[in-house]
Amino acid sequence: MVLIGAHVRDDDPVAAAAAVGAQSVQIFLADPQGWKKPVPRDDADALVASGLGIYAHAPYLVNVASTNNRIRIPSRNMIAQHAAAAATLGARGLVVHGGHVGEGDDVAVGIDNWRKTFERATFPVRVLVENTAGGENACARTLDRWAMLWDAIGGYDVGVCLDTCHAWAAGEDLETVVDRLRAITGRIDLVHANSSRDEAGSSRDRHANFATGTIPPELIAHVVREAGCDALVETPAERQAEDVAFLQATLAG
């Protein structure tokens, strides 16, 4: 069964899911802007018992592609720590951004750093690599880069998260992106169903609610339908319930 849900606040995910009609939730397990290790959650039993599909999102600082040891090595540790914490909640996956190399660095080095991440460790939940919106040095922005990345990591137990806002910002055609990405990876495990505040090809990662964004809502639903996997909205909270309801109604029709 495909579950439609939302990224919700971390303090009470079960209540937040009920408030927006979500069948699944995505949460941070620690400060998304910091390096601190996750701590056990007081509501872990309630979250597991809720029946919700659960996804965790790694902090934004995580960048295993980096050529900087002070970023890359802590990033690998963070993936291991967050995957372990996610496993205690029965999570379906840990979402990690595709990352980037520094100005003037070879992207191929960053992609090989991704390979080393999976070569040197296994994780108790599947890592879902997410496409990113901008940057010429990014490892997972365009499908050409995805092809390079998947050649390096596709043989490991790794999954794919497709973000509609990020693909739109990268200038990808959302009508065909699912088929084209799946032709490279053979899989899509999760969709981040987001509209955008900006026009296609902007390279800007600014999510919007379906009713106010620049991506036609039917096009977002088309991506989710074609992907045939769980989907989560990461849209602004004030109209998030509308976005969840739209996807659920459209996909049920």
Side-chain angles (χ1 to χ4, degrees):
M1 177 182 174
V2 171
L3 302 179
I4 305 299
H7 185 103
V8 298
R9 66 180 191 270
D10 307 337
D11 60 333
D12 192 348
V14 177
V20 299
Q23 301 160 326
S24 58
V25 293
Q26 177 180 270
I27 57 175
F28 291 112
L29 300 176
D31 178 2
Q33 301 290 354
W35 293 102
K36 287 187 177 180
K37 182 179 179 178
V39 298
R41 295 181 62 95
D42 293 337
D43 64 350
D45 290 344
L47 194 49
V48 172
S50 70
L52 293 165
I54 300 168
Y55 291 88
H57 197 301
Y60 298 125
L61 299 178
V62 169
N63 180 13
V64 298
S66 177
T67 57
N68 184 338
N69 287 347
R70 294 183 179 181
I71 296 173
R72 184 179 66 258
I73 294 172
S75 293
R76 289 177 180 165
N77 293 337
M78 287 283 275
I79 291 178
Q81 292 164 0
H82 282 254
T88 68
L89 303 175
R92 296 182 172 207
L94 172 67
V95 178
V96 180
H97 285 173
H100 58 276
V101 296
E103 189 70 32
D105 289 337
D106 187 350
V107 171
V109 176
I111 287 172
D112 195 52
N113 285 338
W114 263 114
R115 180 190 61 78
K116 291 175 182 176
T117 299
F118 293 110
E119 178 184 66
R120 297 175 180 180
T122 58
F123 305 104
V125 298
R126 180 171 288 128
V127 172
L128 308 180
V129 181
E130 180 180 355
N131 61 311
T132 51
E136 292 301 315
N137 302 320
C139 295
R141 178 176 182 260
T142 64
L143 294 195
D144 286 347
R145 290 282 170 80
W146 264 100
M148 293 172 59
L149 179 61
W150 207 252
D151 279 346
I153 68 174
Y156 299 96
D157 184 21
V158 58
V160 176
C161 175
L162 171 61
D163 187 302
T164 54
C165 174
H166 297 175
W168 176 262
E172 296 291 350
D173 180 1
L174 295 188
E175 286 280 359
T176 61
V177 70
V178 169
D179 285 345
R180 290 183 292 118
L181 180 56
R182 191 180 279 135
I184 294 167
T185 63
R187 64 190 301 154
I188 297 174
D189 300 85
L190 179 66
V191 173
H192 280 169
N194 302 309
S195 194
S196 173
R197 291 166 58 186
D198 303 288
E199 297 302 320
S202 68
S203 296
R204 304 187 74 179
D205 179 12
R206 302 196 302 170
H207 297 183
N209 295 109
F210 294 0
T212 59
T214 57
I215 306 176
E218 296 78 10
L219 188 53
I220 300 171
H222 165 77
V223 170
V224 177
R225 183 181 294 108
E226 291 294 300
C229 60
D230 290 356
L232 296 158
V233 300
E234 300 174 311
T235 54
E238 58 267 23
R239 302 188 73 170
Q240 196 177 70
E242 291 179 28
D243 299 336
V244 172
F246 172 82
L247 279 183
Q248 290 174 345
T250 304
L251 295 172

